[in-house]
Amino acid sequence: MTVDFTCDDKTYTIAMDAKGAPMFTKVWAAKIDHCEGYGSDDKIARSTPALTTFEAAVDRLLGHEEYDSTLADIYVVCAMVDPNTDYAGTGEMALTDEREMKAALTLCPKHPRASQWKLVLSGRIFEDGTYLVGQQSKPGEYVKPGTYVIQLGPDDGVIDGCYWERTNKSGNIIDNNFILSAKRVQVTIRSGDYSFTSRDCGTWRPL
């Protein structure tokens, strides 16, 4: 069985191994950084309509509510590899919720960005926003205690007007900072903190 998908007017073929799991290695070698039409089922063509047992398990992880991602979406996400940009944990990240990330980690566990998807799932890569600390709610709603940094490269400009704060359960500020202009920002979130907020900072990653 094979799955074909189209990206930039070129067709790529993904074959299955003996367990019915897709093999993406050759596709990753093509370094596909973006596919137009993400979210469209007509982007993939199957040699047989029946899902393998492996694919069916991935499909069950997604759920089937309105606007949910489909197995076809996860195939396209798994196929894309941008050699120059790391989208994990950012607003540009193709995987936007827990189900999508778990589905992708199941469909393509050896993806070059898989380790960073796991960090997003565990609350260790996150963008600006307000998060509970150490509380196991949905990914994107909590962060793990630890030291985090935003580090810009020499050609990436500066972090401009970044504000962060750590608060206790009563909403009182434990610590905060406003960074007018910098190439690097670092913060340590403590296990006793209740929430962490950042604005206009960027994407935090573990030190």
Side-chain angles (χ1 to χ4, degrees):
M1 184 206 153
T2 59
V3 170
D4 293 341
F5 75 96
T6 302
C7 184
D8 295 331
D9 298 322
K10 185 174 180 179
T11 299
Y12 299 87
T13 298
I14 300 169
M16 304 290 170
D17 65 16
K19 296 180 180 179
M23 298 182 291
F24 289 94
T25 306
K26 291 183 179 180
V27 174
W28 291 335
K31 293 183 170 58
I32 304 164
D33 63 359
H34 182 68
C35 289
E36 295 292 341
Y38 169 73
S40 175
D41 281 349
D42 62 7
K43 281 293 175 180
I44 73 166
R46 308 173 59 83
S47 60
T48 174
L51 301 182
T52 67
T53 302
F54 185 90
E55 289 177 308
V58 176
D59 193 50
R60 285 193 295 273
L61 290 171
L62 292 170
H64 296 285
E65 299 174 7
E66 188 176 9
Y67 305 120
D68 274 348
S69 294
T70 66
L71 183 61
D73 294 329
I74 305 304
Y75 261 106
V76 173
V77 167
C78 279
M80 292 189 295
V81 176
D82 188 331
N84 301 310
T85 304
D86 169 20
Y87 292 131
T90 74
E92 296 176 335
M93 185 178 178
L95 305 178
T96 58
D97 65 27
E98 179 180 14
R99 289 174 301 175
E100 290 180 344
M101 281 185 275
K102 286 183 175 179
L105 283 167
T106 303
L107 191 68
C108 53
K110 295 182 180 180
H111 191 282
R113 296 290 179 264
S115 62
Q116 289 156 45
W117 296 346
K118 291 176 183 177
L119 288 173
V120 176
L121 272 173
S122 65
R124 298 274 289 157
I125 292 181
F126 53 94
E127 282 196 294
D128 289 325
T130 297
Y131 304 88
L132 300 178
V133 176
Q135 301 188 36
Q136 299 293 319
S137 52
K138 295 179 180 180
E141 296 180 2
Y142 77 94
V143 297
K144 289 285 186 69
T147 299
Y148 297 90
V149 65
I150 299 172
Q151 176 74 62
L152 297 186
D155 300 322
D156 294 335
V158 296
I159 302 163
D160 185 15
C162 164
Y163 173 78
W164 62 259
E165 67 179 34
R166 298 163 43 225
T167 61
N168 61 23
K169 198 168 185 177
S170 299
N172 298 318
I173 294 175
I174 299 170
D175 193 14
N176 65 349
N177 198 5
F178 178 78
I179 298 90
L180 183 62
S181 180
K183 297 291 286 187
R184 185 179 188 277
V185 180
Q186 179 175 316
V187 63
T188 297
I189 300 172
R190 309 290 182 183
S191 59
D193 296 350
Y194 179 74
S195 68
F196 175 77
T197 297
S198 77
R199 293 192 293 270
D200 298 322
C201 295
T203 302
W204 297 92
R205 301 181 186 281
L207 182 65

